[in-house]
Amino acid sequence: MKLDENQLLIDLKQLFEVKDYKNCLKIIEENEDCITKKYYEIIPYKIECLIELNKLIDASVIIKEELSVPYIPPQFEKFLRQKKKEIEFILKDKQKNTISYEDIEMIDQVDEATLLSMLANLKNFNLNNIKEQIQNVFSNTQISDLTKSLLIACLSDNKLNADFVVIKEEVMIKFNPSNVFDIRDSENLSYIQNELNKIKDIEINTLEIINRLVMTYLLNIYPLQIEEEDCDNLLVACVLLASSMMNNHIQNPKIEQIYLENRGKINKLCEKINNLLETI
C-alpha cells in the first residue's frame, strides 16, 4: 500500500529506531515513485539502511549520483560527504583485515603481533595442510605462552584434528585441538568464580581485575590445568594482586586463612602473574 510522504517519514523513523533496517529499506523502495517534497529527508534513511545492511556498493552508487547533481541543499551535501567517508573507512578496514590462505601458510614466519592479528581469521580456513607450520609456531621460543594458548583455543574452535606438542611450565604436552577442553567451561575456572562470588563487598572494578588475572594465568598454562587444591591459592593470589593494584584491602577470613596456610605457594603465584603481566 502506497503511503503519503508524511506517513512514510513517521514509519521510517519508527523502523529505524528499532534497527529494522530491512523493512525500513523495503518501504522506501515500495514508495519511491511517490517521494517528492520530502526527498531530502527520506533518501538519507535509504543510505543509512544500505550501510547498516552492509550494502556498501549500493549506498556508494546513490551517494555518487546525488553528489553529481548541479545543486543539492548544503545540509544534504554534508550528510552525503560524511557517509562517503564512512563507507571508505569501512571498506579500507575490511581490506586491511582480509587475510588470504597464502598469508595463513606463512603463519610460522610472522612476528607475534602479526600472528595475534591472524588468529581470529583461522576459523575461515582449512588448516589441515599447514600442520607443520602450526607446530613450528608451538616450537618457537620467541612466541609467548599466552599467544600459543590463544592459538590452541582457535584451533580447538576450528576442530582441527591433528597432534601437536607444546612446552608449558617446563612440561612437554602432546595435545589434539579437536579434543582439548574449553577453558571457558573448565571446572577450575567455575570453582574460582563461585568462590569469588561468595566474597562480599568487592568493588566491581576490583572484581573485574581479579577475574582477568585468573583467566590470564589459566590461559597462559593452557592446555595444562592447575591442580584442584591450587584453585584456592590462585584465587587468593589474584585477590591480593588486584587489591594492591586498586589500593583497597579486601577483608575476608577465608582469604586470610588460605594465605596463612599457603603463603609460599601464593607468593610464587603472585610473582608469576606479575611477570606475565609485564610481557603483555
Side-chain angles (χ1 to χ4, degrees):
M1 185 178 75
K2 297 293 183 180
L3 301 172
D4 66 69
E5 289 181 289
N6 290 325
Q7 185 60 51
L8 179 56
L9 267 174
I10 292 171
D11 290 354
L12 289 177
K13 184 177 180 181
Q14 290 174 344
L15 288 168
F16 198 83
E17 283 179 350
V18 297
K19 300 183 179 181
D20 190 354
Y21 306 118
K22 189 174 180 181
N23 279 319
C24 191
L25 182 61
K26 181 181 178 183
I27 67 167
I28 293 173
E29 292 174 343
E30 288 175 349
N31 293 274
E32 211 147 12
D33 57 343
C34 303
I35 301 171
T36 54
K37 294 180 181 179
K38 302 288 184 180
Y39 183 85
Y40 293 117
E41 295 176 61
I42 293 172
I43 293 304
Y45 278 107
K46 183 175 183 178
I47 294 171
E48 292 275 22
C49 288
L50 288 170
I51 293 172
E52 293 292 344
L53 293 169
N54 204 32
K55 296 183 178 183
L56 303 178
I57 302 303
D58 291 344
S60 295
V61 169
I62 294 173
I63 291 170
K64 185 177 180 181
E65 289 175 350
E66 294 293 343
L67 287 172
S68 67
V69 174
Y71 172 79
I72 52 177
Q75 195 63 30
F76 184 55
E77 182 180 5
K78 182 180 179 182
F79 167 81
L80 292 173
R81 297 199 182 279
Q82 285 177 339
K83 292 303 152 184
K84 184 173 182 284
K85 285 183 180 179
E86 184 179 321
I87 291 170
E88 288 171 350
F89 178 81
I90 294 170
L91 291 173
K92 185 178 180 181
D93 194 52
K94 281 189 173 185
Q95 187 177 21
K96 181 179 68 176
N97 291 323
T98 299
I99 293 180
S100 68
Y101 187 71
E102 287 72 23
D103 295 323
I104 297 295
E105 287 181 308
M106 306 282 285
I107 194 171
D108 59 339
Q109 298 181 43
V110 299
D111 60 31
E112 187 159 2
T114 305
L115 174 60
L116 283 168
S117 71
M118 295 170 69
L119 295 183
N121 293 279
L122 294 183
K123 64 180 181 293
N124 300 320
F125 298 93
N126 183 333
L127 306 178
N128 285 301
N129 293 328
I130 61 162
K131 291 181 282 191
E132 182 178 345
Q133 291 96 312
I134 293 171
Q135 179 55 62
N136 289 341
V137 175
F138 290 129
S139 301
N140 187 348
T141 57
Q142 301 301 310
I143 303 294
S144 70
D145 284 349
L146 193 56
T147 296
K148 290 176 183 177
S149 294
L150 292 171
L151 174 57
I152 294 170
C154 290
L155 297 179
S156 176
D157 289 341
N158 191 279
K159 303 297 181 186
L160 179 62
N161 186 6
D163 295 322
F164 297 102
V165 175
V166 67
I167 295 176
K168 293 287 188 76
E169 303 284 285
E170 300 181 352
V171 175
M172 181 178 288
I173 310 158
K174 296 180 180 179
F175 69 96
N176 186 312
S178 67
N179 56 35
V180 294
F181 71 96
D182 189 327
I183 194 169
R184 295 162 293 194
D185 300 326
S186 70
E187 292 183 4
N188 286 341
L189 180 60
S190 178
Y191 171 83
I192 291 172
Q193 288 176 333
N194 286 335
E195 290 300 303
L196 185 56
N197 289 334
K198 295 176 185 177
I199 304 174
K200 296 180 180 179
D201 302 324
I202 301 182
E203 292 181 1
I204 188 67
N205 290 342
T206 305
L207 183 63
E208 185 178 340
I209 290 172
I210 295 170
N211 277 312
R212 285 184 183 179
L213 292 175
V214 170
M215 178 58 82
T216 300
Y217 182 81
L218 292 178
L219 186 60
N220 190 61
I221 66 171
Y222 182 68
L224 287 176
Q225 297 191 69
I226 59 173
E227 298 295 331
E228 187 176 337
E229 57 268 24
D230 286 329
C231 287
D232 283 333
N233 293 338
L234 178 58
L235 170 60
V236 173
C238 293
V239 167
L240 294 176
L241 287 171
S243 298
S244 175
M245 291 175 187
M246 299 299 290
N247 197 27
N248 58 4
H249 179 62
I250 297 173
Q251 292 183 325
N252 181 272
K254 184 174 181 180
I255 294 292
E256 292 169 1
Q257 184 62 37
I258 293 171
Y259 180 71
L260 288 173
E261 293 174 358
N262 301 278
R263 186 192 305 262
K265 287 184 177 180
I266 292 171
N267 286 341
K268 283 184 179 179
L269 277 170
C270 288
E271 184 179 353
K272 278 187 177 181
I273 297 170
N274 267 328
N275 291 337
L276 177 58
L277 294 175
E278 290 177 3
T279 65
I280 296 176

